[in-house]
Amino acid sequence: MRVSILTGFLLGAAVSATPVIERRIGRSIESRDVTVIYKNIDFSPEADIWYSNANTTGSIGDLLARNITIPGLSPLFPDVHCLQDGSVCQLTTGESEINAATTITSLMLSPLFDLRKTYFLIGGIAGINPKHGTIADVAFSKYAVQVALQYEFDAREIPSNYSTGYIPQGSTSPDQYPQSIYGTEVFEVNEALRDIAAKFASTAKLNDTSDAVAYRAKYTTTNNNTGIYATATKKPGIIKCDTATSDVYYSGALLGEAFENTTRLFTNGSGVYCMTAQEDNATLEAMIRFAVHKTIDFARIIIMRTASDFDRPYPGASPEFNLFYSSQGAFEPAVANIYLAGTPVIKGILSGWRKTFEKGVKPKNYIGDIFGTLGGKPDFGPGTVFDPEVGQPSKREVDGGVRTRAEMYRRAGRKGMLGAEVARRANGAA
């Protein structure tokens, strides 16, 4: 599983509304009338690429001009970094789901920022599925799927009739929809905004290396290059596909294929796993809990990841070679492409603020989690547990007491079976 440090950018355009950033020093209040774009990056190289390009022609400027310490951020990355005018800021969450959730929650609780009109650009490097992309690609996602939130058997003890050791929670086979749903399994973001961001990014000239070009060629599987990894041999570009979140950093075709199936199953057949991540579902869960209370707008979230390595080896190579010893030549291009693709996205939102982005980009698809927390009817999973017209503030139906785990799953069984049936039909099963 590839990691990316969630770095946050606060990017804004001047508006005549209430102050967006307030920095309190003693009894004084410093205010700016700005709107914010927030970019998440997961670890140092992903943030440094923005700092080191502060004076580069065409850059967004010096993000270290203002540094605001917020209680609860990572001890390694304790500050939000902003342009002097406060129009763009950035933070780094640290790697893994726990770090991401803690950092984003701390940001959301800070009285120093008004995030109600903020656009959040969640970015970082990732592993890439060679069936759907190649190293140094830039991917924009609609779904983030928590693929490792499952039961797991040791690989040496997988039942003989199972295709993988991962079994959805509360279920008894790999292809059965989860019978026990935690709520963080799947998030869906604004597809219309994703498409706008991808169009902005398509103007970028992406970075690449000769080593990466040579390594891609190893994924050629037939003489006419029509094999399952044909996409992996192409030059880097902008793609649209989905993100798989797991704290476990995995390697190999079997795990990759298992999580492809998990992504399809959990999204009722519509998700396409191409990028790995260790933070995205945690970040989105923290955000949705505040979106319920209108302190952020969940329709203003963009997920962008760049491919630093393949999630599985080329034909003939081993999973351990892929993980430990391969020299794929794509780490530096992937880091560079965060900046190269992210800059036109940020600039595009700022330049189109009054015409388009201040009022928001209306989603045409469902947005939110598997519970329907924000209202609406999820197009994946067993259906909303709340009133679709209201969302989370509505009261849930309360069942009687549950005395065993098995009984708990049976109570959830009707919804789980419904979700499984929808997923099977979406995947073309009879």
Side-chain angles (χ1 to χ4, degrees):
M1 175 61 57
R2 307 313 169 270
V3 210
S4 46
I5 288 187
L6 226 48
T7 294
F9 279 97
L10 303 181
L11 174 77
V15 294
S16 57
T18 58
V20 172
I21 296 181
E22 295 181 347
R23 185 176 182 179
R24 293 177 174 83
I25 305 176
R27 294 184 179 179
S28 67
I29 297 177
E30 176 186 352
S31 301
R32 301 277 320 171
D33 290 335
V34 297
T35 302
V36 178
I37 291 180
Y38 188 83
K39 184 180 186 302
N40 289 327
I41 296 178
D42 309 324
F43 72 123
S44 296
E46 297 164 328
D48 290 345
I49 190 66
W50 295 92
Y51 309 152
S52 62
N53 279 284
N55 298 314
T56 301
T57 301
S59 80
I60 60 174
D62 182 9
L63 284 164
L64 299 178
R66 297 178 66 187
N67 304 288
I68 305 169
T69 302
I70 295 180
L73 298 192
S74 167
L76 298 177
F77 312 105
D79 298 330
V80 174
H81 305 289
C82 304
L83 299 182
Q84 185 61 47
D85 66 358
S87 63
V88 184
C89 300
Q90 168 271 325
L91 78 79
T92 303
T93 63
E95 299 164 277
S96 84
E97 294 174 78
I98 292 175
N99 278 325
T102 304
T103 293
I104 298 303
T105 299
S106 299
L107 173 73
M108 299 290 147
L109 290 172
S110 173
L112 306 181
F113 299 95
D114 180 342
L115 303 174
R116 288 172 294 178
K117 289 189 175 182
T118 300
Y119 283 86
F120 295 83
L121 176 57
I122 301 172
I125 61 171
I128 183 77
N129 178 351
K131 292 181 181 179
H132 299 292
T134 192
I135 44 180
D137 267 351
V138 180
F140 290 86
S141 299
K142 180 172 75 168
Y143 293 111
V145 181
Q146 195 175 14
V147 294
L149 185 58
Q150 303 191 66
Y151 296 148
E152 182 185 5
F153 291 110
D154 186 288
R156 295 161 294 185
E157 298 177 323
I158 296 174
S160 60
N161 60 332
Y162 283 12
S163 58
T164 176
Y166 281 92
I167 315 298
Q169 297 273 13
S171 301
T172 57
S173 65
D175 61 351
Q176 186 178 17
Y177 206 88
Q179 304 296 293
S180 175
I181 294 174
Y182 289 8
T184 59
E185 289 84 353
V186 184
F187 293 94
E188 185 171 353
V189 298
N190 188 340
E191 187 173 16
L193 179 60
R194 179 204 65 174
D195 292 346
I196 290 171
K199 185 176 181 180
F200 285 151
S202 68
T203 63
K205 182 179 180 180
L206 300 180
N207 198 305
D208 202 4
T209 66
S210 57
D211 287 343
V213 172
Y215 200 86
R216 291 186 193 104
K218 297 178 183 294
Y219 283 79
T220 302
T221 54
T222 64
N223 289 334
N224 60 0
N225 199 26
T226 58
I228 59 171
Y229 296 152
T231 303
T233 65
K234 298 179 180 179
K235 66 180 183 180
I238 306 299
I239 59 176
K240 300 174 186 177
C241 46
D242 302 306
T243 299
T245 299
S246 168
D247 272 337
V248 175
Y249 193 124
Y250 56 85
S251 174
L254 295 180
L255 281 175
E257 290 170 0
F259 292 145
E260 289 172 22
N261 294 333
T262 298
T263 299
R264 282 194 295 269
L265 179 68
F266 283 17
T267 61
N268 292 355
S270 57
V272 177
Y273 154 54
C274 71
M275 286 288 187
T276 67
Q278 288 186 306
E279 299 82 21
D280 290 2
N281 283 61
T283 297
L284 295 169
E285 176 63 22
M287 288 179 168
I288 208 165
R289 294 188 185 193
F290 290 87
V292 168
H293 301 284
K294 312 299 183 184
T295 57
I296 71 162
D297 184 351
F298 203 80
R300 299 185 181 217
I301 296 171
I302 301 165
I303 302 172
M304 182 191 82
R305 285 192 172 267
T306 61
S308 61
D309 56 296
F310 288 111
D311 74 343
R312 66 201 74 182
Y314 56 82
S318 67
E320 60 269 27
F321 171 80
N322 180 67
L323 181 61
F324 298 132
Y325 308 116
S326 62
S327 297
Q328 302 188 25
F331 178 82
E332 290 183 355
V335 170
N337 288 343
I338 294 174
Y339 169 79
L340 293 171
T343 295
V345 174
I346 293 172
K347 287 187 170 184
I349 293 175
L350 287 179
S351 64
W353 182 257
R354 294 195 179 278
K355 181 179 179 180
T356 302
F357 297 102
E358 181 178 14
K359 64 180 179 290
V361 176
K362 186 176 181 179
K364 298 177 181 179
N365 59 307
Y366 167 81
I367 61 169
D369 62 4
I370 197 169
F371 284 156
T373 297
L374 301 179
K377 295 181 179 180
D379 49 6
F380 52 87
T384 181
V385 300
F386 301 107
D387 181 341
E389 299 300 322
V390 178
Q392 187 270 333
S394 66
K395 292 183 179 179
R396 295 183 60 188
E397 180 181 338
V398 179
D399 291 332
V402 175
R403 290 180 292 275
T404 68
R405 181 177 289 270
E407 185 178 349
M408 178 176 69
Y409 294 152
R410 284 196 294 272
R411 293 285 181 94
R414 289 178 63 190
K415 284 190 174 183
M417 286 186 287
L418 173 61
E421 179 62 23
V422 173
R424 281 192 291 270
R425 291 181 180 180
N427 284 316

